[in-house]
Amino acid sequence: MARFTVLIAAVVLAFLVAVPVPEVTAKKYTVGDNKFWNPNINYTIWLQGKHFYLDDWLYFVFERNQHNILEVNKTDYESCIADHPIRNWTRGSGRDIVTLNETKHYYLLDGKGGCYGGMKIAVKVEKLPPPPKSAPVKNIGSVSTVTSLAQYVIPVSLFAVSTMWDVILRMW
Ligand SMILES: *[C@@H]1O[C@H](CO)[C@@H](O)[C@H](O)[C@H]1NC(C)=O
Ligand SMILES: *[C@@H]1O[C@H](CO)[C@@H](O)[C@H](O)[C@H]1NC(C)=O
Ligand SMILES: *[C@@H]1O[C@H](CO)[C@@H](O)[C@H](O)[C@H]1NC(C)=O
Ligand SMILES: *[C@@H]1O[C@H](CO)[C@@H](O)[C@H](O)[C@H]1NC(C)=O
């Protein structure tokens, strides 16, 4: 019986160490949540508490005949000028994705209405924060994997080891 328990503990331990931890993928943000890309929504409030990292994406849903989504520079953003867009993110369906694949500020506005009803949003994109210095596991692949391993697998593994040890001691 005790040997069997040791076996179970060993299998559990092996599983915990070997199981691949799913990577945290890029986040998709629906701009405005269930109010989408529309006039009279305070996007400053929508932005509160949000952090955007490289390869996250913004999803804009809007009435395609009334609005669009243009990227402009800072000066034009502040004055709501849509005449010299850096990039036109509109494709025509009223469902557009802005891929945040550069670490910079993205200045986005509704060019059709000239920021009508405050339809503009400035998003700062940062690199993923570095892993905590205490993380003992290296070269696993990604920051999120290392963090997850450090946070979950290691304490659980230690628990499994101590349980195993306990069982081994009881066998004698
Ligand atoms: C949006 O909300 C922020 C923070 O509450 C406020 O400072 C700002 O004036 C609001 N903007 C508009 C257009 O109401
Ligand atoms: C933004 O673009 C406008 C028009 O092309 C230009 O006049 C202005 O200097 C630019 N501002 C910046 C910060 O690049
Ligand atoms: C943006 O691109 C869409 C789709 O190609 C096009 O219909 C629209 O006229 C363009 N808007 C601007 C301001 O360039
Ligand atoms: C970011 O994505 C856009 C649109 O998909 C693309 O045109 C651009 O080259 C990309 N930038 C980088 C740095 O990969």
Side-chain angles (χ1 to χ4, degrees):
M1 187 59 197
R3 273 170 210 278
F4 184 64
T5 312
V6 172
L7 184 67
I8 297 280
V11 168
V12 167
L13 177 61
F15 177 79
L16 285 173
V17 172
V19 71
V21 178
E23 285 191 27
V24 176
T25 51
K27 270 197 194 168
K28 170 185 148 179
Y29 294 90
T30 301
V31 174
D33 295 322
N34 59 359
K35 290 175 180 159
F36 306 114
W37 187 229
N38 276 307
N40 306 317
I41 291 160
N42 191 325
Y43 290 103
T44 309
I45 290 176
W46 182 78
L47 283 170
Q48 277 169 10
K50 292 187 174 66
H51 290 277
F52 300 90
Y53 298 109
L54 212 52
D55 295 329
D56 284 348
W57 32 304
L58 300 178
Y59 182 51
F60 288 85
V61 178
F62 54 95
E63 172 49 59
R64 65 193 172 111
N65 297 318
Q66 287 174 24
H67 308 296
N68 65 10
I69 177 74
L70 301 179
E71 184 177 348
V72 298
N73 71 16
K74 190 170 192 275
T75 321
D76 286 354
Y77 178 82
E78 280 160 4
S79 343
C80 283
I81 295 168
D83 298 342
H84 321 277
I86 299 170
R87 191 180 182 109
N88 175 10
W89 289 95
T90 326
R91 289 162 311 164
S93 67
R95 304 275 184 280
D96 288 304
I97 285 163
V98 174
T99 49
L100 305 174
N101 59 353
E102 289 171 40
T103 48
K104 64 169 189 179
H105 280 89
Y106 285 74
Y107 298 100
L108 303 160
L109 50 75
D110 169 35
K112 280 199 182 169
C115 306
Y116 174 71
M119 290 177 71
K120 62 186 212 167
I121 188 167
V123 165
K124 182 186 171 193
V125 177
E126 302 167 281
K127 277 188 193 160
L128 264 181
K133 285 210 166 62
S134 60
V137 186
K138 287 198 174 117
N139 300 326
I140 297 289
S142 75
V143 169
S144 52
T145 310
V146 171
T147 310
S148 305
L149 277 174
Q151 283 179 347
Y152 305 110
V153 175
I154 290 168
V156 176
S157 300
L158 287 176
F159 175 71
V161 168
S162 68
T163 307
M164 241 171 88
W165 189 238
D166 198 30
V167 168
I168 290 167
L169 285 180
R170 263 187 245 166
M171 283 171 70
W172 302 107

